[in-house]
Amino acid sequence: MLHRHLIAAALPLVVSLAVVRCGAVTAVTPLHRGESSLSASFGGPVANVSGMNIPIPYAVARYRYGLSDRTGIYAGFHPLAAGFRVIGLDFGFSYHFLKEQGWIPTVGAITGVTAFIQPGGSQALFPQLDLVASYRLGDRFTTYFGSQSMYQFSTTPSVILAPLVGGKFKVNDRLSLCLEAKWYTPTELTHPRNVNYTLPVADHGAVGFVLGAEWLFGGNHE
Amino acid sequence: MSENAASRKPQVPILRCRIRSICVICVICGCSLLLTCLRLDSFLFDPIRVEGEYFNPAETDTSWHVRGDVIPDSLIEPVTLHGLDSNRVYGFFARQPNGAGRITVLYSHGRGENINRYWGRVELLWEAGYGVFIYDYEGYGKSEGAPSGAACYADAEAALGYVLARRDVVDSNVVYYAWSLGSFMACHLAADNADKPRCLILENPMASMSALAKEGAVLGIPGSFLVDADFDNEVRMPKLGCRTLIIYGKKDDTAVPERNAEVLLTAAKDQPDVTGYPVEGANHSDLPEVMGYGEYERVVKAFIAGDSL
């Protein structure tokens, strides 16, 4: 059916505007006090786009700053939203309340707001809360797991979850890369939808992948 | 190395880092500006142009059961209207013999192709005893211009103006009938004009662009983020001001009922004149076929007549 095929081809890219939890976890590990980082992440749930199964290419660029060795703030920019003449921003803070010690992982909470603002038009605000635990495996590798959640009050579901696992590889003192696998909206049925998500789990949600890079600078990092 | 020299050394790398940071931010902003033309509007429409004449059998979608010989040629009037920016908009009025004063259906078609595809539906309604006017939106069939929300609304208004201006049409006997995307045009005519139709029938309607986005991404975002078209039937439901039938397939996997027809019924829950009619087993395009033409005609005729379904 031509109608449906065309929608299936076009919508994943377009609707990706709404897949705002596509970005990688904001703060897997804390920054040192005064340290800054710039990060970019790219990816989302795997969907069929023009016959190819690819992660929806949602991009987020973020800056974060370490207020202390446990607490940080961040601000992010969503380039694809700008493509729709919508200003897409996220901002908030992170707090790591456990530091790795034996079997106890480093555990952090990241809370903030994602805001979409259409100049002269509508706005949409979504509070979010992420919890992430991480273990260092050697000098260069950190594995992490947790869940992202986003809240909406105007419609259902009120809570949009995304459990995740990921790995972060330290290329050098400044640069690290991460790959994250997420199960987006596990509480919702995958079909029928106008986007053909191709990696559901028991017809719920959509599995996706996000690739990220983070570059540290400033502070006492030297 | 003196203490002062040691403290100065990191400043150059830090400066370089900040310059690099600014460069990265500039690149991101630049890429964003390059993307500033992304809108969903062009994906809403899927027209097929007619270069020669309408009703060429080679260009007719047989899956829509166009029979072609139901309405005598002598009762089919080609019509040219003027839409947005005076673009020519084409339509056909299938009148009933001696049909003055009878009920006239203004048919707003769906997203795909052109009048050729939907002629089978015109035939069904004509057989039910109604005069039918169907028109192609700009960019569809032979209609000039390009489809857009504003153009479709202008075309629908021109079509209504034409129907009401006909001497054989009684204003109070005009029924708006729409399928799928056409529901935006029919709801616009009903909700945004003071003149109300006899009734409105929406077959497998779409709810809104916001619902479309939510269907794909679960998140509730305004439709205006995605499209320029003012396509929002949810908002218009309480303002229709006329008897309305929402007839929909329970197995519709394009305009999924719980995200479209049932959303509209919820939006109209305080409107006693809005009736839902779910059809078990029907998908987006096969509702009359699944119901059976006889039952489809019975339901449509009963609703138009004001009888119980």
Side-chain angles (χ1 to χ4, degrees), chain A residues 89-156:
Chain A
L89 302 169
D90 61 61
F91 50 88
F93 69 93
S94 60
Y95 179 69
H96 286 80
F97 46 86
L98 286 179
K99 284 201 168 181
E100 188 174 342
Q101 196 171 26
W103 61 271
I104 298 172
T106 299
V107 180
I110 303 131
T111 185
V113 171
T114 296
F116 288 101
I117 301 157
Q118 189 174 38
S122 306
Q123 300 85 36
L125 288 177
F126 303 100
Q128 58 203 52
L129 175 65
D130 304 345
L131 284 169
V132 63
S134 64
Y135 288 106
R136 288 189 67 173
L137 302 174
D139 287 341
R140 289 182 175 270
F141 193 74
T142 302
T143 185
Y144 59 94
F145 59 94
S147 185
Q148 296 180 307
S149 59
M150 174 169 264
Y151 303 86
Q152 56 183 354
F153 307 112
S154 60
T155 186
T156 55

Side-chain angles (χ1 to χ4, degrees), chain A residues 1-4 6-7 10-11 14-15 17-20 38 61 77 79-80 82-86 116-118 122-124 126 150 152 154-157 160 174 185 188-189 192-195 197 215 217-218 222, chain B residues 10 13-14 16-18 20-21 24-25 28-29 32 35-40 43 46 48 111-112 117 179-180 211-222 224-226 228 252-254 256 259 283-285:
Chain A
M1 197 157 78
L2 184 65
H3 178 120
R4 197 160 163 70
L6 280 169
I7 283 187
L11 267 179
V14 175
V15 169
L17 170 64
V19 190
V20 293
L38 271 180
F77 175 69
L80 192 66
F84 289 90
R85 291 180 239 149
V86 173
F116 288 101
I117 301 157
Q118 189 174 38
S122 306
Q123 300 85 36
F126 303 100
M150 174 169 264
Q152 56 183 354
S154 60
T155 186
T156 55
I160 302 170
R174 294 192 175 280
T185 59
E188 300 298 304
L189 283 171
R193 288 196 182 275
N194 53 25
V195 176
Y197 295 113
W215 182 56
F217 60 97
E222 292 293 311
Chain B
I14 287 170
R16 280 185 193 148
C17 290
R18 288 197 175 147
R20 278 186 217 159
S21 307
V24 169
I25 290 167
I28 291 167
C29 291
S32 302
L35 287 168
T36 52
C37 56
L38 289 174
R39 304 299 282 169
L40 177 58
F43 297 114
D46 185 24
I48 291 181
R111 169 182 182 266
R117 183 184 189 190
W179 180 71
S180 190
L212 190 74
K214 185 168 177 285
E215 186 180 334
V218 181
L219 205 63
I221 58 169
S224 61
F225 282 12
L226 304 175
D228 291 324
D252 190 339
D253 61 2
T254 300
V256 181
R259 300 181 194 120
N283 203 325
H284 197 58
S285 308

